[in-house]
Each structure stands twice: as structure tokens, then as C-alpha cells.
Amino acid sequence: MALAMNRQKDFDFVALVEFVHESQCMLFYRLGNNAPPAAISYLSKSCHCGEEHEEHQKNGTVHVQHHNMGKRSSLRDLPHATLSKVEILTLADSFIYVNALKNFMDEMAWLESDDALGRRVVCDNALKKWELELAYLDGGHFNVTKLYRNAVIKKQQQQ
């Protein structure tokens, strides 16, 4: 597990599929003047919260949801004994993923700070969308919204 954690830290950029839009915003911002015109346009028009962002998302990005309650919905109904076995098998994966989420939210707090874009990028609707999906992490006590808000508070205290 230590090797996997170190490998993750070696990457300059880690995108998360759950937050693909926000990951794109980070990447395009970090590309700076090297970003292609379409990326600069996306950063300007799409990387903020509010009605304009939501409208652009509807017109520019297609999201296909295959299950009403998300991709793990069918797993929620498995017997406790089976879920316990799955948890044991994925313990290292979950630990690494939670760490990746923490790092990602720290990066997003920086992106939203006055040091970078100076506007909100991780919208409440995006966080809410993943609350139930990611709640199984950290022994069933994981809260992605709280993780994000803690990262923002930490960044504000550093300024």
C-alpha cells in the first residue's frame, strides 16, 4: 500500500472520474497559456457554479446514468456478510481512493481560491450527487461535502 501511495504522489495531476468536469477545470487552468483555445473557452464558460454553468453543462456534456441510485445501488442490497468480505478485499483500494479524494479537494480549494480562479468550481449539486455513492468509504462514515468544505476552510486559513 505504501508503494501505491507513493506512486500516486508522484503524479503531477490526478483526475477523478466522479469529478470529471472539475478535473478538466483543474487541468485546463494548470495548462495556462499552453492550453488550446477550446480548453480556455471551457475554463471561462463552464468552470463556475450557477445557472450559466448548469445550462452549459446541459448543452455541452452528455451524462448517461445507468442506475437510478448510482453505480453501487445494487450492492447496497447484498447481505451484510457479503458486504463485509467486499470491504476486506477493497480495504487498500478504499484507503488510497480516500487519500486521492482528499488531495483532489485540496487542489480544488486552491483552484477556487484567490490564488487561482477565485470562484467556485465544485458545485453543491456535484457534491450532492456523490454523497450516497461514496458514503460507504471510511467505514460508512464518509462525507464528500464535508471533505470539500474542510479543504476550503483549510485553504482560507492559510491565506
Side-chain angles (χ1 to χ4, degrees):
M1 189 159 48
L3 178 61
M5 294 293 287
N6 287 333
R7 292 282 186 240
Q8 178 189 344
K9 290 177 187 176
D10 289 344
F11 291 114
D12 187 46
F13 175 74
V14 176
L16 298 179
V17 70
E18 290 83 359
F19 295 97
V20 67
H21 163 71
E22 295 81 0
S23 296
Q24 284 179 290
C25 294
M26 175 62 74
L27 178 61
F28 295 161
Y29 182 82
R30 289 179 65 186
L31 286 173
N33 294 334
N34 295 320
I40 293 170
S41 175
Y42 185 91
L43 185 63
S44 172
K45 293 179 181 177
S46 300
C47 296
H48 56 84
C49 296
E51 290 178 26
E52 294 174 20
H53 162 74
E54 291 171 6
E55 185 61 33
H56 184 77
Q57 282 297 92
K58 290 177 191 170
N59 293 329
T61 303
V62 175
H63 173 74
V64 178
Q65 185 170 346
H66 299 283
H67 308 284
N68 289 339
M69 294 178 63
K71 62 186 173 189
R72 294 177 187 88
S73 62
S74 61
L75 296 178
R76 292 185 191 109
D77 296 329
L78 291 174
H80 179 70
T82 303
L83 290 174
S84 294
K85 291 175 184 175
V86 170
E87 185 176 353
I88 291 168
L89 289 171
T90 60
L91 187 62
D93 297 331
S94 295
F95 181 80
I96 293 166
Y97 183 67
V98 167
N99 190 60
L101 272 169
K102 287 178 183 176
N103 292 338
F104 180 79
M105 292 305 176
D106 286 344
E107 287 285 317
M108 294 312 299
W110 170 82
L111 181 66
E112 294 179 347
S113 75
D114 291 336
D115 294 337
L117 284 177
R119 64 180 181 255
R120 183 104 185 255
V121 176
V122 181
C123 304
D124 290 336
N125 60 343
L127 293 165
K128 184 178 179 182
K129 174 182 170 182
W130 294 108
E131 279 299 328
L132 187 57
E133 280 287 315
L134 300 176
Y136 74 95
L137 295 167
D138 197 22
H141 303 289
F142 191 79
N143 184 311
V144 70
T145 301
K146 184 176 179 182
L147 181 68
Y148 163 76
R149 291 194 176 129
N150 287 344
V152 170
I153 290 168
K154 184 172 92 175
K155 179 62 182 167
Q156 289 171 343
Q157 290 173 345
Q158 292 173 350
Q159 292 181 330

